[in-house]
Amino acid sequence: MNSFETIKKLRMQVRDWKSQGLRIGFVPTMGNLHDGHLSLVELAKAHADRVVVSIFVNPLQFGPDEDFDSYPRTFESDQAKLLATGVDAVFYPAVDEMYPHGEFQTIVSVPETLTGLLEGASRPGHFDGVTTVVAKLFNMVQADVAVFGQKDFQQYCVIERMVSDLALPVELVKAPIARSEDGLALSSRNQYLTASQRVIAPKLHTVLTDVAAALTSGNRNFNELQQTAQQQLLSDGFDSVDYVQIVHPKSLQPSDSQDSEFAVLGVARLGKTRLLDNILLNKI
Ligand code: PAF
C-alpha cells in the first residue's frame, strides 16, 4: 500500500493504473477509522480493481464552534487498518496541499433546498465545505466509483446532486449503515460517549425503527410520529433532540401522504456528542 501526501504523486499512480485499464474505487474519509469505514472500503473493492482512501480532516466543513481542533487524528493506526483491509493507496494531504490559497478558495455550493435544512440548518456552510472538498478530491483521484455511507444520508444526497449538476464522471455507491450489535450506528464520535451515555445511545436506532414500523403499517400521521419519537428519546435519557424528520429520500422535503418512499432521519444529543441515524423505506 502506498501513502501519498501530494496531488502530483497520487496522480502519477492513478495515471499508471488507468493506463493498464484498471477501474479505480475511492473512499473519502476524515480518518479515525472504524469498522464502518472499513465496510465502505470492502464495498469499493467489490466495485473496482484498485482502491484509494483519502484521510483529510477538512477545515472547511467545520463551524467555528465545532470540533475541528480536537477531531481525533490517528494516522498510524488508520494506515495499519487500511493495509490489513487491502487498500492500494492512501492519500493523506496537508491543509496547504488541499487549500493552497487559504481562505480564498473556490466554493462548490449545492442549492439550499438540499443544504439549508436538517443538518444544514444547524451547521451553516457545512455542506459547502463538504462539496468543495469532495469535488477537489474527485478531481485529484479521478475515480470511476466512489463509496459514501448511508449514515450521513443528507451528505449522500447533496453529493449525488453535485455529481449530477456538474456532470462529474464518477459513479456513486451508497453503503448500508454499519452498526454495533445493540444497533448503534458506528461513528468516530461514539468514542466521546461516557459508559452511561453509551447505554442510552442505541435507543436512537430503536426509536427510528418504531417510526419506520408505523409507516410500514400504513400510519401517515407524520407530525404525530415525529413528536412521539422526540418525546421517547427524551424519556430514554437523551439530553436533547435536534430533529426526528420523515422526509422524501430525494428532495429531503417533508413527506407527503401519497409518497411510497421515506427517509426517517434522527439526530439527538448525549452531552457534547451529536448522534445521527436514519432508516430508508422504499416502495411501501
Ligand atoms: O463523511 C466524511 O467523513 C466527510 O464529510 C468527507 C466526505 C470525507 C468529506 O470531508
Side-chain angles (χ1 to χ4, degrees):
M1 185 179 78
N2 289 312
S3 296
F4 301 114
E5 291 185 22
T6 64
I7 301 163
K8 193 173 169 192
K9 287 192 175 149
L10 170 75
R11 282 203 167 128
M12 277 166 63
Q13 174 67 88
V14 171
R15 209 173 295 134
D16 180 46
W17 284 335
K18 293 223 165 184
S19 71
Q20 298 172 51
L22 297 171
R23 188 171 154 82
I24 317 288
F26 176 45
V27 181
T29 80
M30 297 205 298
N32 197 233
L33 304 179
H34 51 66
D35 287 349
H37 295 108
L38 302 181
S39 72
L40 306 187
V41 171
E42 292 295 352
L43 204 53
K45 280 167 65 183
H47 282 81
D49 303 306
R50 295 288 181 274
V51 173
V52 179
V53 172
S54 63
I55 296 180
F56 179 64
V57 185
N58 173 31
L60 217 59
Q61 70 188 74
F62 287 79
D65 300 327
E66 295 184 22
D67 55 349
F68 173 71
D69 290 331
S70 61
Y71 199 86
R73 282 140 172 105
T74 52
F75 184 62
E76 303 289 306
S77 69
D78 290 347
Q79 217 178 7
K81 288 177 191 167
L82 295 176
L83 182 64
T85 317
V87 163
D88 299 284
V90 184
F91 180 46
Y92 179 55
V95 172
D96 288 355
E97 182 74 2
M98 288 300 287
Y99 298 118
H101 304 292
E103 63 187 284
F104 303 105
Q105 161 69 41
T106 299
I107 297 296
V108 178
S109 193
V110 163
E112 285 229 332
T113 47
L114 282 184
T115 58
L117 67 180
L118 301 165
E119 289 304 281
S122 57
R123 304 183 71 187
H126 167 70
F127 284 114
D128 285 356
V130 171
T131 43
T132 300
V133 82
V134 171
K136 292 181 72 129
L137 288 165
F138 281 174
N139 280 334
M140 293 164 189
V141 179
Q142 300 277 308
D144 299 285
V145 55
V147 181
F148 292 85
Q150 179 195 311
K151 181 168 156 294
D152 293 305
F153 182 68
Q154 186 176 10
Q155 169 172 282
Y156 184 86
C157 295
V158 167
I159 290 170
E160 191 177 47
R161 178 66 184 270
M162 172 185 79
V163 166
S164 166
D165 281 352
L166 300 182
L168 300 179
V170 60
E171 178 193 334
L172 296 182
V173 171
K174 176 159 40 54
I177 301 178
R179 299 183 180 281
S180 358
E181 275 186 14
D182 58 12
L184 177 64
L186 300 187
S187 162
S188 299
R189 290 184 171 116
N190 291 351
Q191 66 195 281
Y192 300 148
L193 296 170
T194 63
S196 57
Q197 290 170 339
R198 177 64 187 77
V199 174
I200 299 169
K203 295 184 176 159
L204 176 58
H205 179 54
T206 313
V207 166
L208 298 185
T209 305
D210 289 346
V211 175
L215 290 168
T216 305
S217 65
N219 188 332
R220 296 292 181 266
N221 297 320
F222 303 122
N223 283 340
E224 195 180 294
L225 286 171
Q226 290 166 179
Q227 274 164 23
T228 308
Q230 295 195 19
Q231 283 308 323
Q232 185 60 49
L233 289 168
L234 293 174
S235 49
D236 282 342
F238 283 89
D239 294 309
S240 60
V241 179
D242 285 15
Y243 56 82
V244 174
Q245 285 276 311
I246 304 165
V247 300
H248 190 278
K250 283 272 177 247
S251 68
L252 298 180
Q253 297 302 313
S255 288
D256 183 275
S257 56
Q258 304 306 312
D259 289 346
S260 61
E261 296 177 292
F262 302 94
V264 184
L265 310 177
V267 179
R269 291 179 195 252
L270 281 167
K272 62 176 183 169
T273 311
R274 238 176 138 248
L275 297 175
L276 279 80
D277 204 344
N278 66 76
I279 294 181
L280 300 183
L281 296 171
N282 291 318
K283 306 271 177 288
I284 60 167

